[in-house]
Amino acid sequence: MTNRVTRISGSGSYLPDRILTNDELAAQIDTSDAWIRERTGIAQRHIAAEGQTTSDLGVEAARRALDDAGLTIADIDLIVVATTTPDFVFPSTATVIQARLGMDHGAAFDVQAVCSGFVYALSVTDALLKTGQHKRALLIGAETMSRILNWEDRSTCVLFGDGAGAWVLSAEEASPEAADRQPGVIGSYLRSDGRLKELLHTTGGPSSTRSSGYLVMQGNAVFRHAVVNISEAMTTLMRQHGLTGEDVDWFVPHQANQRILEAVAKRLGIASGKVISTVANHGNTSAASVPLAFDVAVQDGRIKRGDLCLLEALGGGLTWGSALVRY
Ligand code: UT7
């Protein structure tokens, strides 16, 4: 188990075509472009078309990640999808994507940790690859958050968007270098506190109301938890690996709010030029936000092979966590 490393072989992402601007929202509800930009940093978000599902977004992101890795679905033996907005209660979105990609072998399942989903799923996938149980995985964060928003609630509907991001992860033999020096997943740190459910949740579910309900949030309470808990998750993980904010090449945070990104980076001593922010263009895409932001920065040439990247997220549950990867 200790002689394997999980490498990021490819990255991809997909955003639906439809862009919804702050001004469009301001024409429908009591809000303004100025308020949304000032309080969140969000200028626009992408919204899935009628009939376009989470698996549709995930399939596109997965195809792009496979192309980037120079691999085909035949090379993959595990699909893990992080989502809060599955196509169906069952089957899992991962098995829907498995069928759509024409994969007739291996295994596929979903991970549900809301906005922390990608960090949780990365941790689970890394562990499965390191045991040798699977060799190569598609790890996908995909969401259609627009489907669980109350579009009359200005305190939440302006914040979220739809999209998907994906990684191809490969189990490889570790080189003799120190674990944090070679490319791959260095470590992850997961936390949750279910007592904080009321701060961010949906008003329903199949077993309680027979419907998904709508997202509700006590925004400023979640904001305070986000800054404190994310900072703690990142500090703990870096300390475990003998690293500091100065060692990090890129900070790839969950894209909930520009003010949270900045506050956390400042606490950790990470220079603002190292922060990957897509919140202005994507809004909060929940489990898709970290791989989407990562892919944008890979595509525009900022994140390069060998760079040390620190990921984090916090979401409903509350759940939160961090991960260190060398690309
Ligand atoms: O991904 C999961 C994790 N989620 C997060 O991390 C989100 C964390 N929370 C936040 O990002 C912020 O708390 C929000 C952006 C949600 C809200 O910002 P805030 O500075 O905490 O505002 P607030 O909730 O304290 O509300 C301030 C005022 C209120 O009016 P009054 O009571 O002061 O008169 C709200 O009614 O802003 C009002 N307001 C709005 N005004 C215009 C709330 N939403 C809007 C809106 N447009 N869309």
Side-chain angles (χ1 to χ4, degrees), residues 13-47:
S13 63
Y14 177 78
L15 287 159
D17 293 338
R18 164 87 168 106
I19 291 173
L20 178 64
T21 65
N22 291 346
D23 283 332
E24 285 177 85
L25 281 168
Q28 293 159 22
I29 52 169
D30 182 18
T31 189
S32 67
D33 177 54
W35 190 96
I36 301 170
R37 280 180 198 261
E38 190 185 311
R39 305 311 295 168
T40 72
I42 298 168
Q44 60 170 51
R45 69 288 292 144
H46 291 248
I47 301 293

Coordinates of all heavy atoms in Angstrom, one line a residue, residues 13-47:
S13 N -13.2 19.7 -17.7 CA -14.4 20.4 -17.1 C -15.4 20.7 -18.2 O -15.1 20.7 -19.4 CB -13.9 21.6 -16.3 OG -13.4 22.6 -17.2
Y14 N -16.6 21.0 -17.7 CA -17.6 21.4 -18.7 C -18.6 22.3 -18.0 O -19.0 22.1 -16.8 CB -18.4 20.1 -19.1 CG -19.6 20.5 -20.0 CD1 -19.3 20.8 -21.4 CD2 -20.9 20.5 -19.5 CE1 -20.4 21.2 -22.2 CE2 -21.9 20.9 -20.4 CZ -21.7 21.2 -21.7 OH -22.7 21.5 -22.5
L15 N -19.0 23.4 -18.7 CA -20.0 24.3 -18.2 C -21.2 24.4 -19.2 O -20.9 24.4 -20.4 CB -19.4 25.7 -18.0 CG -18.4 25.9 -16.9 CD1 -17.5 27.1 -17.1 CD2 -19.2 26.0 -15.6
P16 N -22.4 24.4 -18.7 CA -23.5 24.5 -19.7 C -23.4 25.9 -20.4 O -22.8 26.8 -19.9 CB -24.8 24.5 -18.8 CG -24.3 24.2 -17.4 CD -22.8 24.3 -17.3
D17 N -24.0 26.0 -21.6 CA -23.8 27.2 -22.4 C -24.5 28.4 -21.8 O -24.0 29.5 -21.9 CB -24.5 26.9 -23.8 CG -23.7 25.9 -24.6 OD1 -22.5 25.7 -24.3 OD2 -24.3 25.3 -25.5
R18 N -25.6 28.2 -21.2 CA -26.5 29.3 -20.7 C -25.8 30.0 -19.6 O -25.5 29.4 -18.5 CB -27.8 28.8 -20.3 CG -28.7 29.7 -19.4 CD -29.5 30.7 -20.3 NE -30.5 31.4 -19.4 CZ -30.3 32.7 -19.1 NH1 -29.3 33.4 -19.5 NH2 -31.3 33.2 -18.4
I19 N -25.5 31.3 -19.8 CA -25.0 32.2 -18.7 C -26.1 33.1 -18.1 O -26.8 33.7 -18.9 CB -23.8 33.0 -19.2 CG1 -22.6 32.1 -19.6 CG2 -23.4 34.1 -18.3 CD1 -21.5 32.9 -20.3
L20 N -26.2 33.1 -16.8 CA -27.2 33.9 -16.1 C -26.5 35.0 -15.4 O -25.7 34.7 -14.5 CB -28.0 33.0 -15.1 CG -29.1 33.7 -14.3 CD1 -30.2 34.3 -15.2 CD2 -29.7 32.7 -13.3
T21 N -26.7 36.2 -15.8 CA -26.0 37.4 -15.2 C -26.7 37.9 -14.0 O -27.9 37.6 -13.7 CB -25.8 38.5 -16.2 OG1 -27.1 39.0 -16.5 CG2 -25.2 38.1 -17.5
N22 N -26.0 38.7 -13.2 CA -26.6 39.3 -12.0 C -27.7 40.2 -12.4 O -28.7 40.3 -11.7 CB -25.5 40.1 -11.2 CG -24.5 39.2 -10.6 OD1 -24.7 38.0 -10.5 ND2 -23.4 39.8 -10.1
D23 N -27.5 40.9 -13.5 CA -28.5 41.9 -14.0 C -29.8 41.2 -14.3 O -30.9 41.7 -14.0 CB -28.0 42.7 -15.2 CG -27.1 43.8 -14.7 OD1 -27.2 44.3 -13.6 OD2 -26.2 44.2 -15.5
E24 N -29.7 40.0 -14.9 CA -30.9 39.2 -15.2 C -31.6 38.8 -13.9 O -32.9 38.9 -13.9 CB -30.5 37.9 -16.0 CG -30.2 38.2 -17.5 CD -29.8 36.9 -18.1 OE1 -30.6 36.1 -18.6 OE2 -28.6 36.6 -18.2
L25 N -30.9 38.4 -12.9 CA -31.5 38.1 -11.6 C -32.2 39.3 -11.0 O -33.2 39.2 -10.5 CB -30.4 37.5 -10.7 CG -30.1 36.1 -10.9 CD1 -28.8 35.7 -10.1 CD2 -31.2 35.1 -10.5
A26 N -31.5 40.5 -11.1 CA -32.0 41.7 -10.5 C -33.3 42.1 -11.2 O -34.1 42.8 -10.6 CB -31.0 42.8 -10.6
A27 N -33.5 41.6 -12.4 CA -34.8 42.0 -13.1 C -35.9 41.1 -12.6 O -37.1 41.4 -12.8 CB -34.6 41.8 -14.6
Q28 N -35.6 40.0 -11.9 CA -36.6 39.0 -11.4 C -36.9 39.1 -9.9 O -38.0 38.8 -9.5 CB -36.2 37.6 -11.8 CG -36.1 37.3 -13.2 CD -35.2 36.1 -13.6 OE1 -35.0 35.3 -12.7 NE2 -34.7 36.1 -14.8
I29 N -35.8 39.4 -9.1 CA -36.0 39.4 -7.7 C -35.3 40.7 -7.1 O -34.6 41.4 -7.8 CB -35.3 38.2 -7.0 CG1 -33.9 38.0 -7.5 CG2 -36.1 36.9 -7.2 CD1 -33.1 37.0 -6.7
D30 N -35.5 41.0 -5.8 CA -35.1 42.2 -5.2 C -33.6 42.0 -4.8 O -33.2 41.8 -3.7 CB -35.9 42.5 -3.9 CG -35.5 43.7 -3.2 OD1 -34.8 44.6 -3.9 OD2 -35.8 43.9 -2.0
T31 N -32.7 42.2 -5.9 CA -31.3 42.2 -5.6 C -30.6 43.1 -6.7 O -31.3 43.8 -7.4 CB -30.7 40.7 -5.8 OG1 -29.4 40.7 -5.4 CG2 -30.8 40.2 -7.2
S32 N -29.3 43.2 -6.6 CA -28.6 44.1 -7.6 C -27.3 43.5 -7.9 O -26.7 42.7 -7.1 CB -28.4 45.5 -7.0 OG -27.5 45.4 -5.9
D33 N -26.8 43.8 -9.1 CA -25.4 43.4 -9.5 C -24.4 43.9 -8.5 O -23.5 43.1 -8.1 CB -25.1 44.0 -10.9 CG -23.7 43.6 -11.4 OD1 -23.4 42.4 -11.4 OD2 -23.0 44.6 -11.7
A34 N -24.6 45.1 -8.0 CA -23.6 45.7 -7.0 C -23.6 44.9 -5.7 O -22.5 44.5 -5.2 CB -24.0 47.1 -6.7
W35 N -24.8 44.5 -5.2 CA -24.8 43.7 -3.9 C -24.1 42.4 -4.1 O -23.3 41.9 -3.3 CB -26.3 43.5 -3.4 CG -26.3 42.9 -2.0 CD1 -26.5 43.6 -0.9 CD2 -26.2 41.6 -1.7 NE1 -26.4 42.8 0.2 CE2 -26.3 41.5 -0.3 CE3 -26.0 40.4 -2.4 CZ2 -26.2 40.3 0.5 CZ3 -25.9 39.2 -1.6 CH2 -26.0 39.1 -0.3
I36 N -24.5 41.7 -5.2 CA -24.0 40.3 -5.4 C -22.4 40.4 -5.6 O -21.7 39.6 -5.0 CB -24.6 39.6 -6.6 CG1 -26.1 39.5 -6.4 CG2 -24.0 38.2 -6.8 CD1 -26.9 39.1 -7.7
R37 N -21.9 41.3 -6.4 CA -20.5 41.4 -6.6 C -19.8 41.8 -5.3 O -18.8 41.2 -4.9 CB -20.2 42.5 -7.6 CG -20.3 42.0 -9.0 CD -20.0 43.2 -10.0 NE -20.5 43.0 -11.3 CZ -19.8 42.5 -12.3 NH1 -18.6 42.2 -12.2 NH2 -20.4 42.3 -13.5
E38 N -20.3 42.7 -4.6 CA -19.6 43.2 -3.4 C -19.6 42.2 -2.3 O -18.6 42.0 -1.6 CB -20.4 44.5 -2.9 CG -19.7 45.2 -1.8 CD -20.5 46.4 -1.3 OE1 -21.0 47.2 -2.1 OE2 -20.7 46.5 -0.1
R39 N -20.8 41.4 -2.1 CA -20.8 40.5 -0.9 C -20.3 39.1 -1.3 O -20.0 38.3 -0.4 CB -22.3 40.3 -0.5 CG -23.1 41.6 -0.1 CD -22.3 42.4 0.8 NE -22.1 41.8 2.1 CZ -21.2 42.3 3.0 NH1 -20.5 43.4 2.8 NH2 -21.0 41.7 4.2
T40 N -20.2 38.8 -2.6 CA -19.8 37.4 -3.0 C -18.7 37.4 -4.0 O -18.0 36.3 -4.1 CB -21.0 36.6 -3.6 OG1 -21.2 37.1 -4.9 CG2 -22.2 36.7 -2.7
G41 N -18.5 38.4 -4.8 CA -17.6 38.4 -6.0 C -18.1 37.7 -7.2 O -17.5 37.7 -8.3
I42 N -19.4 37.3 -7.2 CA -20.0 36.6 -8.3 C -20.6 37.6 -9.3 O -21.2 38.6 -8.9 CB -21.2 35.6 -7.8 CG1 -20.6 34.5 -6.9 CG2 -21.9 35.0 -9.0 CD1 -21.7 33.8 -6.2
A43 N -20.2 37.4 -10.6 CA -20.8 38.2 -11.7 C -21.8 37.5 -12.5 O -22.7 38.1 -13.1 CB -19.6 38.7 -12.5
Q44 N -21.6 36.2 -12.6 CA -22.5 35.3 -13.5 C -22.3 33.9 -13.1 O -21.4 33.5 -12.3 CB -22.1 35.5 -15.0 CG -20.6 35.0 -15.2 CD -20.2 34.9 -16.6 OE1 -20.4 35.8 -17.4 NE2 -19.7 33.7 -17.0
R45 N -23.2 33.1 -13.5 CA -23.2 31.6 -13.3 C -23.7 30.9 -14.5 O -24.5 31.5 -15.3 CB -23.9 31.2 -12.0 CG -25.4 31.3 -12.0 CD -25.9 32.7 -11.9 NE -25.7 33.4 -10.7 CZ -25.5 34.7 -10.6 NH1 -25.5 35.5 -11.7 NH2 -25.3 35.3 -9.5
H46 N -23.4 29.7 -14.7 CA -23.9 28.9 -15.9 C -25.1 28.0 -15.3 O -25.0 27.5 -14.2 CB -22.8 28.0 -16.4 CG -21.7 28.7 -17.1 ND1 -21.5 28.6 -18.5 CD2 -20.8 29.6 -16.7 CE1 -20.5 29.4 -18.9 NE2 -20.0 30.0 -17.8
I47 N -26.1 27.9 -16.2 CA -27.3 27.1 -15.8 C -27.6 26.0 -16.8 O -27.6 26.3 -18.0 CB -28.5 28.1 -15.7 CG1 -28.2 29.2 -14.6 CG2 -29.8 27.3 -15.3 CD1 -28.1 28.8 -13.2

